[in-house]
Amino acid sequence: MELRHRALQVLHLTDPDEKAAATLATYAQAATLSIAENTPASPPDSPPLPGHPARPLLLRHTEVARRSPATHAGRAVLIHAIAHIEFNAINLALDAIWRFGGMPRDYYLDWLQVAAEEAQHFGLLRAHLRTMGHDYGDFPAHQGLWTMCEKTQHDIVARMALVPRTMEARGLDATPLIQRKLRQVGTPDALAAVGILDTILHEEVGHVAIGNHWYRWLCEREGLHPESHYTTLVQRYEAPRLKPPFNETARRQAGFTEAELQWLLQG
C-alpha cells in the first residue's frame, strides 16, 4: 500500500467510524507502506475536502452556543465539541501526509501516528458521549481548525507553524481548565471525562512536539529563523494571537523555547 494515496482516500471518507477505522488500519501497516514522491491528485469529480458526515451542522465559531458544564446537557455539548476537534484533527494529519511532497519518510510516519492517535481520541469521546445519551452529530460544530488548514495548503512551513503548534497547541492550555471545571462538577460522567482528557493531553503534547520538530526542520532547510519567521506567518495568515493562561509545562515538553513562551506571554 502507498501511504499518501491512502491518506487522500481516507480523507475523503464521510462516515466518522469508517474514517477512524481506516486510519487505524493504515497505521497498523506503517512498516510495510511505500511513500510516493509525487503528490496524488484528488479526483476532479470528488466532493470538497475533507469528507465529513451530514451531521453535525457546521456553523461559524461565533454561532456555536456555549453551555455550562454544571448541567448534563452542557457537559454533553462540551464533550461533543472536543470530539469534533479530534475528528477534525484526524483530517488535519491525513492532509499533512497527502498534500506535501519532498519530505523525509519519518515526516509521513509521524503524521500517520498522529492521525491514528486522534482517531483513538475521537473513539473514546464518542463512546463517552453515547453513555450520556447523545452521539456525534447531535449538536452544531465549527470548522475553525480546517479553515487554517485551507489557508496554508500551499505552504508547508506555514502549515507546521500555524496548525499543530498554534491552533492545536491551544488544547494544551485549555484542557487543564476544562478538567478543573469537570472535577468541580464531580458527577460520574464528569470524572470519567477528566480521565479521557488526561490521555488526550498526554498524547497531544507529542503531537505538538511533532509539529515543532518539523517546523524547525523546515526552517533550517530553508534558512529561516524559526521565531522571527513565526511572527511573520502569524501576520501573513491572520492567525489568532493566543491569550493566557498558557500551560507552560506542557508547552515546554512539546518543544517550545523560552523565547517563544515569553512572546506568547507578552501578548
Side-chain angles (χ1 to χ4, degrees):
M1 184 189 301
E2 195 283 309
L3 174 56
R4 297 180 67 203
H5 284 81
R6 181 56 179 161
L8 179 58
Q9 291 172 347
V10 179
L11 189 59
H12 273 294
L13 296 176
T14 58
D15 181 83
D17 285 336
E18 185 181 0
K19 178 170 288 188
T23 299
L24 291 168
T26 305
Y27 180 59
Q29 301 177 59
T32 65
L33 297 172
S34 62
I35 298 174
E37 292 185 7
N38 296 325
T39 299
S42 187
D45 57 346
S46 61
L49 290 172
H52 57 78
R55 299 171 68 241
L57 174 67
L58 299 179
L59 304 174
R60 295 178 182 273
H61 73 277
T62 55
E63 298 173 332
V64 178
R66 295 183 179 181
R67 301 186 197 177
S68 170
T71 68
H72 183 88
R75 292 192 298 281
V77 169
L78 173 63
I79 297 303
H80 185 277
I82 302 171
H84 182 68
I85 289 170
E86 298 300 319
F87 182 69
N88 254 324
I90 303 170
N91 291 326
L92 295 173
L94 294 171
D95 191 85
I97 293 169
W98 87 267
R99 188 177 296 277
F100 300 110
M103 294 295 286
R105 179 179 178 85
D106 283 349
Y107 165 88
Y108 300 103
L109 295 181
D110 277 351
W111 288 111
L112 179 57
Q113 176 185 334
V114 171
E117 290 176 352
E118 303 290 17
Q120 291 172 332
H121 298 170
F122 174 74
L124 289 171
L125 290 162
R126 188 175 193 184
H128 182 60
L129 193 61
R130 285 168 169 164
T131 69
M132 300 178 70
H134 293 280
D135 199 358
Y136 180 62
D138 284 357
F139 307 103
H142 69 80
Q143 288 286 73
L145 281 173
W146 188 258
T147 299
M148 185 57 70
C149 186
E150 291 180 328
K151 284 185 178 182
T152 58
Q153 63 182 309
H154 301 300
D155 185 345
I156 188 174
V157 182
R159 172 66 64 83
M160 294 297 106
L162 301 179
V163 174
R165 66 192 308 270
T166 300
M167 305 296 288
E168 293 185 273
R170 195 53 174 153
L172 305 184
D173 308 321
T175 299
L177 303 178
I178 295 170
Q179 289 178 301
R180 189 177 308 145
K181 292 180 180 179
L182 291 171
R183 287 191 186 98
Q184 289 172 349
V185 172
T187 60
D189 70 273
L191 296 178
V194 170
I196 294 169
L197 292 176
D198 274 335
T199 299
I200 292 175
L201 178 59
H202 173 74
E203 293 183 348
E204 291 295 346
V205 169
H207 301 174
V208 176
I210 287 170
N212 268 320
H213 168 75
W214 289 111
Y215 173 66
R216 293 198 173 91
W217 186 92
L218 286 159
C219 285
E220 182 177 354
R221 185 181 75 172
E222 300 186 18
L224 301 167
H225 187 275
E227 290 160 12
S228 60
H229 190 59
Y230 177 77
T231 303
T232 300
L233 292 172
V234 168
Q235 296 171 345
R236 180 182 301 166
Y237 290 95
E238 300 179 330
R241 184 63 185 266
L242 306 181
K243 298 179 181 180
F246 299 107
N247 187 342
E248 296 180 43
T249 299
R251 282 179 174 269
R252 288 188 181 95
Q253 291 172 346
F256 285 95
T257 66
E258 293 303 316
E260 288 170 326
L261 290 173
Q262 286 302 312
W263 183 83
L264 285 171
L265 290 167
Q266 289 168 5

